Amino acid sequence: MTTINIIYGTAILEMTYKLLRETAAGNITETVKRLRSDMKVVIKPNLVVAKPANEGATTHPEIVEGIVRFLKDFGVTKPVIAEGSWLGEQTGKAFSCCGYDVLAKRYGLQLVDTKKENTVKKNACGLTLGICNIFLEADFLINVPVLKGHCQTVMTCCLKNLKGCIPDSEKRRYHNIGLHKPVAALNTILKPDLHVIDGICGDPVFEEGGNPVTANRILLGTDPVLLDSYGAALLGYTADEIEYIHYAKEYGAGNLFNTDTKINEFQTENRPKNTVQNQSRLVRELAPLIEDRNACSACYAALIFALHKLGVNNSGRKITETFKIGQGFRGKQSTGIGIGDCAKGCEQHISGCPPSAAAIVRALKNVTAGFLNS
Ligand code: SF4
């Protein structure tokens, strides 16, 4: 399908249901025709951290509720909601904080923490990838990502949201083998039937939110490459700037957004005036101060937050040493300040796996004196 469906507004649950109903009778007909009441339907939101959706990191539960109501029309009454938060976060805490406990209770649904799930190894694109079994066993998989920024991959949406379908050990390993290729390869194994994108108020800079930008839109489609390349444009990037989109296209996971793509819009009277956001200036400004060798997202983001909090920037205060971070520093001696357990061979070191931003702030207040000149 070369159609992207978008609805605008603030009544999130009703918008989601309407978008699904309208398109079920149109360009997603063939997909929803396959729904059967005895199917194992799995919904995969983005609950990367335990923060409510209005902070711009996590999927609004109202969107998932809209999907649940839609599925009920097809006799599917017990879809499973499955997710594994990022390293260092408890998924159970995220389920509770983000309103999924309440949702599950209301509809009698099962919440699955994929950190506790069995995994199966699969080969794809020259890589062997461990994937949580529940997603491989799903008869119908619905991906519900947030369109938002990401410190390392620039943005995250449909393709990268599937990183929540792998165990923590694999999350670490993905960063160690370059992140983009394994994310793209994962999308050749797991192929969600539908992608419903939360574009309500994603943070255009940080995966973990904190700077939500209201856009009041929900997007729907079946091709993750198409949707992500369109999402990149909404955030002010071209698909070429997002490496994993490039690889996903190369691996056959979908097609790029182009002039032939049909955009099917609903409730356009609610469309925001300016849909292009590009607020990653902070990350771009701080990146030259960081020597990143395959750092996990949680680690890298914590450092960015900490530097921002401390008022460190690339133009004002001069830095005499870069911060060292990532699995590439494991077992290595280095000058400078190492962030996280991997970089404990550095001259000075802040422990944690990952360290919290608050811990980095506390530690940097003491250790930066020799490295930063006001
Ligand atoms: S210290 Fe940081 S980069 Fe190293 S494994 Fe832990 S979270 Fe990942």
Side-chain angles (χ1 to χ4, degrees), residues 7 9-20 43-46 53 58-71 81 98 100 103 142-147 195-201 216-220:
I7 192 165
T10 52
I12 301 172
L13 192 161
E14 291 76 14
M15 281 160 65
T16 309
Y17 183 78
K18 179 176 176 180
L19 184 64
L20 284 158
I43 301 174
K44 160 67 177 79
N46 184 330
T58 55
T59 303
H60 283 78
E62 297 93 332
I63 293 183
V64 173
E65 186 167 0
I67 296 168
V68 169
R69 287 200 189 172
F70 172 77
L71 289 171
I81 301 172
C98 301
Y100 285 78
L103 178 66
I142 304 177
N143 188 21
V144 199
V146 178
L147 172 61
H195 303 267
V196 183
I197 301 171
D198 182 338
I200 299 295
C201 62
N216 289 340
R217 61 191 158 213
I218 299 168
L219 301 88
L220 169 71

Side-chain angles (χ1 to χ4, degrees), residues 223-236:
D223 181 337
V225 177
L226 187 77
L227 290 161
D228 275 20
S229 50
Y230 181 72
L234 292 179
L235 292 176

Side-chain angles (χ1 to χ4, degrees), residues 8 215 217 230-231 233-236 271-278:
Y8 303 94
R217 61 191 158 213
Y230 181 72
L234 292 179
L235 292 176
R271 188 166 46 197
K273 286 190 177 64
N274 178 12
T275 57
V276 175
Q277 302 289 343
N278 186 353

Side-chain angles (χ1 to χ4, degrees), residues 81-233:
I81 301 172
E83 169 64 319
S85 301
W86 75 357
L87 286 169
E89 184 62 276
Q90 295 169 29
T91 312
K93 206 170 140 198
F95 277 141
S96 166
C97 173
C98 301
Y100 285 78
D101 276 357
V102 174
L103 178 66
K105 205 167 170 194
R106 190 178 305 140
Y107 290 89
L109 308 177
Q110 188 190 357
L111 297 176
V112 173
D113 175 358
T114 59
K115 287 179 193 267
K116 298 172 184 165
E117 275 289 291
N118 292 331
T119 59
V120 174
K121 297 259 186 230
K122 292 278 178 187
N123 296 318
C125 313
L127 297 167
T128 302
L129 306 171
I131 300 170
C132 298
N133 214 14
I134 186 166
F135 299 104
L136 294 166
E137 287 179 343
D139 298 313
F140 199 95
L141 177 58
I142 304 177
N143 188 21
V144 199
V146 178
L147 172 61
K148 59 183 174 175
H150 189 282
C151 290
Q152 292 159 294
T153 58
V154 183
M155 66 163 278
T156 169
C157 194
C158 301
L159 293 162
K160 207 184 143 293
N161 194 42
L162 296 194
K163 198 159 156 272
C165 303
I166 62 174
D168 277 359
S169 56
E170 282 289 88
K171 286 176 191 156
R172 281 195 186 88
R173 196 172 72 87
Y174 272 36
H175 284 273
N176 209 17
I177 57 175
L179 194 56
H180 295 277
K181 282 187 180 174
V183 163
L186 178 62
N187 279 270
T188 66
I189 305 168
L190 291 178
K191 297 177 182 172
D193 299 273
L194 277 179
H195 303 267
V196 183
I197 301 171
D198 182 338
I200 299 295
C201 62
D203 182 332
V205 182
F206 293 112
E207 183 187 15
E208 68 275 41
N211 316 279
V213 173
T214 301
N216 289 340
R217 61 191 158 213
I218 299 168
L219 301 88
L220 169 71
T222 56
D223 181 337
V225 177
L226 187 77
L227 290 161
D228 275 20
S229 50
Y230 181 72

Side-chain angles (χ1 to χ4, degrees), residues 172 295-296 299 326-327 330 340-342 352-354:
R172 281 195 186 88
C296 300
C299 223
Q327 298 173 65
R330 261 191 208 146
D341 289 350
C342 288
C353 179

Side-chain angles (χ1 to χ4, degrees), residues 27-35 140 193-194 222:
N27 59 70
I28 63 165
T29 303
E30 293 308 312
T31 304
V32 296
K33 257 189 199 167
R34 293 195 294 100
L35 278 169
F140 199 95
D193 299 273
L194 277 179
T222 56

